[in-house]
Amino acid sequence: KADTFPKLLRLNAREHASDIALREKDLGLWREFTWQDYQHRVRDFALGMVSLGLGRGDVIGIIGDNRPDWVSAEIAIHAIGAMSLGLYRDVLDEEAAYLLTYGEAKLVFAEDEEQVDKLLALAERAPQLKHIVYSDPRGMRKYDDPRLLPADTLAAMGRARGSGPMGRSARPRHSTPRHTPRDPARHRRVPSCAPMSTQTAPASDAATFGIVIAALVALVGLRTPRSDAGDPPIDTGGPA
């Protein structure tokens, strides 16, 4: 039953694997992403976050421009049972510090150097922030902070985990996260379709609405119950 965005992505990736789900303009050229591409990206992000110890109930921030990794991150966050907290790219330092601290965000997906600068400047104002994942590597060589992690590296961690000895049984099963009174995302969260609606172009004008929804649906049916007794069960490819 495709009753959540991650499950809907899994269904679309299974039935329309080679169809174009999204297009993003990069240096004047349109890059195309199929449903299968998106499923893989979201699954890798989700399993990468599980490898970092994140899971159900955690709050994870996203800040940056409209781009595919925003949607991949948001759906991956939901897939592991965590809660997404969207921040506008022009958010002030004080606002970012308040939201991330109040929400106790442990990881933030940041687009590029500009957003990383903003997060690093928070310093002790956000002591719970342990990981900063960035998508654009330009200008990042000058930094030396153990919290920094390229998005492609996070994805590689996820692929390694998914292909490990436990195979499919090592992948989380998805469920819809529930909001808690301390969840600032309940009031500040950016609608899931917003990040992709202006940056990507649908495969056809008639399919605009479907593609925007499709962009949200990038992956697996994941759910990560917390356990101290080893890896949580993960199921990304079973029947819907």
Side-chain angles (χ1 to χ4, degrees):
K1 182 179 179 181
D3 57 353
T4 65
F5 285 135
K7 289 180 182 179
L8 184 55
L9 169 69
R10 179 179 59 180
L11 177 65
N12 285 349
R14 181 183 302 150
E15 297 184 353
H16 311 286
S18 60
D19 290 351
I20 297 172
L22 297 170
R23 293 188 178 106
E24 180 191 30
K25 203 167 193 178
D26 183 27
L27 299 177
L29 300 176
W30 288 103
R31 299 172 59 205
E32 296 180 345
F33 301 86
T34 66
W35 288 108
Q36 188 173 64
D37 294 334
Y38 250 88
Q39 183 189 29
H40 289 170
R41 187 66 165 178
V42 178
R43 180 189 61 200
D44 293 344
F45 274 179
L47 293 173
M49 286 189 286
V50 171
S51 295
L52 293 176
L54 300 169
R56 175 173 299 282
D58 288 330
V59 174
I60 298 171
I62 316 173
I63 181 171
D65 264 335
N66 300 340
R67 64 181 303 156
D69 271 358
W70 175 296
V71 173
S72 295
E74 183 161 28
I75 303 303
I77 290 165
H78 295 176
I80 64 173
M83 293 174 283
S84 59
L85 172 60
L87 289 83
Y88 294 109
R89 71 182 315 276
D90 57 354
V91 65
L92 299 177
D93 289 357
E94 293 75 12
E95 294 174 331
Y98 170 75
L99 291 169
L100 296 175
T101 301
Y102 185 77
E104 299 179 356
K106 298 179 180 178
L107 180 149
V108 173
F109 283 89
E111 179 191 358
D112 54 17
E113 179 187 8
E114 178 183 355
Q115 306 306 333
V116 168
D117 274 340
K118 190 174 299 181
L119 295 171
L120 293 179
L122 299 181
E124 68 278 359
R125 287 184 288 170
Q128 78 292 334
L129 181 57
K130 305 300 182 184
H131 308 285
I132 300 172
V133 177
Y134 59 90
S135 295
D136 189 341
R138 288 175 293 186
M140 298 300 299
R141 290 186 178 182
K142 62 177 179 281
Y143 295 109
D144 182 19
D145 190 298
R147 295 174 296 175
L148 294 176
L149 182 67
D152 287 344
T153 299
L154 179 69
M157 292 168 58
R159 286 192 296 274
R161 186 183 184 90
S163 61
M166 295 186 68
R168 288 184 181 274
S169 65
R171 302 176 185 172
R173 285 192 294 267
H174 150 269
S175 68
T176 303
R178 297 178 180 177
H179 292 292
T180 64
R182 284 187 56 77
D183 177 22
R186 183 172 185 177
H187 303 287
R188 290 281 303 193
R189 189 168 154 201
V190 176
S192 299
C193 58
M196 299 308 299
S197 60
T198 58
Q199 184 71 11
T200 58
S204 67
D205 290 339
T208 300
F209 180 76
I211 294 302
V212 168
I213 293 300
L216 309 177
V217 193
L219 141 51
V220 314
L222 288 181
R223 178 181 172 181
T224 324
R226 297 286 186 132
S227 171
D228 295 328
D231 290 334
I234 299 179
D235 175 16
T236 61

